[in-house]
Amino acid sequence: MPNTTEATVAAEAIASAATGTSAAPAVQHFRQALLWPLRLVPAPDAKPAHHAPWHVLREMGDASPWREEIDEYTGDSSRFHERHYNEFVSFLPYVQRFLYGEGRSKNKDGADIGSDGDSPMRIFRRHDVAAVRVVPQAGDAPITLDVVHCDLYFFFDIDVVLLNLEVGADHLSLAQAQDLLYRFGRAYPAGWNAEGGALHCMASVEWLAADGSVLARSDAQQREAFLSHVAQHRAPRISAHWAYLMQPLVSDHSEDPGVLRYRQIEYYRMPVMAYLSLDDPKRLSRNDFIRLGLVTGAAEADAAQHAHLPYAQQHLADFEHRYCYDRFWVDAGAAPNTRYLCNGHALIVVGDARSEFFCCRDRGVLAQFRHQHFLLFLIAHFQKAALLMFSDQLVEALKRLDIHSTPSVKQFKRAIRASFERFLRFTHRYWFHEISEQAQVRALSRMCTTHLGLDPLYDEVKARIADMNTYLDADSLRRQASTVVRLTVVTLFGLIGTVTTGFLGMNLLAEADAPLWRKALWFGVVFVFTTWLTIYTMVKSQRLSDFIDALSNDRLSFKGKLAALARVWRPGAD
């Protein structure tokens, strides 16, 4: 890390000593993992695709920086370590099949059979971005974070992609860590102040290559570009550094060409996970925990402000009960004084840097944070993104519906039927209420799903799709009933001619011994007349059905029945 960061930590300690206040503990090791759910949408002029979106990245080859990740479960078994085993056994069997697939099996001769890591999830990783240099606020010293990995997660049969970026740094001050959590991970600026500075986001972000060269930088200060984009497209403009990271995937409203396009589906702040290894977590105040758990950023520089809560006291009265998992917040155990904070949008773990188990990357809390806890966070946000995607697709199907256009109605029915089928597959493949029987994983998962409101959202989307499907079923029954009525009317009036000709023995015209050409002529005349009469009866079938109803009505007078007959040929009677 740069010397400016360590100097900042030291300066804060000196300033605290001078003012007589207790210095905030330093962050010895910091990890931040962003998870950005996006909806995949087809290009406006694209032909219907018959293969999954990750196939497009495979076919691009060197034109794309993304490479499919052959992980410990699908690749060489020699890479499979104890931390991967601990991750695997943390989840219930049906979740294991979702995360890791069925794997390979061998026949009696030792040959591989079955699927090759046939997981519904595909991971692609890029290796060109080695670090990110950020400036939280204008005038601050730059902070360089190591990029641990940058991944894209695709899911079979679900048009959702999740960007996962994990960064890390050593020797940060608590205020710097709070600012990183608050400002880093915003898809675009929320607004600008009177001086033109972007609000709530980083003043500067630069992606760095391994040699230190700048690959891309943020453009949050270019206010006019964002304003004009929203005015023109009624959609936000993705900041340049995030747009670069997603390439060759492009924003749906971008003018850049691209077969794979994405659209924002959730709030512009990316869900975030963080791991903070502190030199003394017990020195954190309640205010510090609140700012970490709710990701509100650092307090004002004035020392007097450190005692102020970010929100009203009555709003935070039940903070510990709602947002804290304090099973390990004790001076005992392998990782003493470890606290988990979860508000659905963020999952933060705070612990003691002096604890070997808390800092262990193979068996300790850091390993759990990067594996088990990340996966439970990913599952929750994937489920939410998928449900929001289904909701968006229903709205778009309704927007395209023109009830006066038969092709539009047919397309609407196909879209709703397809959404209903995909939702059923989503429910049976991806929807879990319990993902683990381990107490810690189960508790954190429930906190995430409860704060995200997944169960009410699922019930709402399910009810909407069911209502659409019920409407289509009712409409089909109505059309079938109408067809049956029309056929009944045609059959009824055709019965008159059938009985009449049958009574005459079909010898009304004695042409049995006539020449072939005359019989063919009479056949053609009768065929044309019968066809015309049948079609005409079909055209008038609705009015004739009303006339039949009038005939069967005992309370209707003879004059009224004649009037019903007259309406059969009256223009505009419908």
Side-chain angles (χ1 to χ4, degrees), residues 377-394:
F377 197 68
L378 178 141
I379 290 173
H381 283 275
F382 161 69
Q383 290 177 337
K384 182 179 180 181
L387 292 172
L388 293 176
M389 178 208 67
F390 284 120
S391 181
D392 282 355
Q393 288 178 340
L394 292 179

Side-chain angles (χ1 to χ4, degrees), residues 491-540:
T491 303
L492 178 62
F493 282 91
L495 182 63
I496 299 173
T498 302
V499 172
T500 302
T501 54
F503 178 77
L504 294 175
M506 296 299 293
N507 293 321
L508 183 62
L509 299 173
E511 298 289 344
D513 298 328
L516 180 60
W517 65 269
R518 185 183 296 180
K519 290 191 289 186
L521 177 62
W522 278 112
F523 176 81
V525 171
V526 174
F527 176 78
V528 171
F529 175 76
T530 305
T531 302
W532 173 85
L533 183 62
T534 302
I535 294 175
Y536 182 76
T537 307
M538 287 290 294
V539 171
K540 297 294 184 180

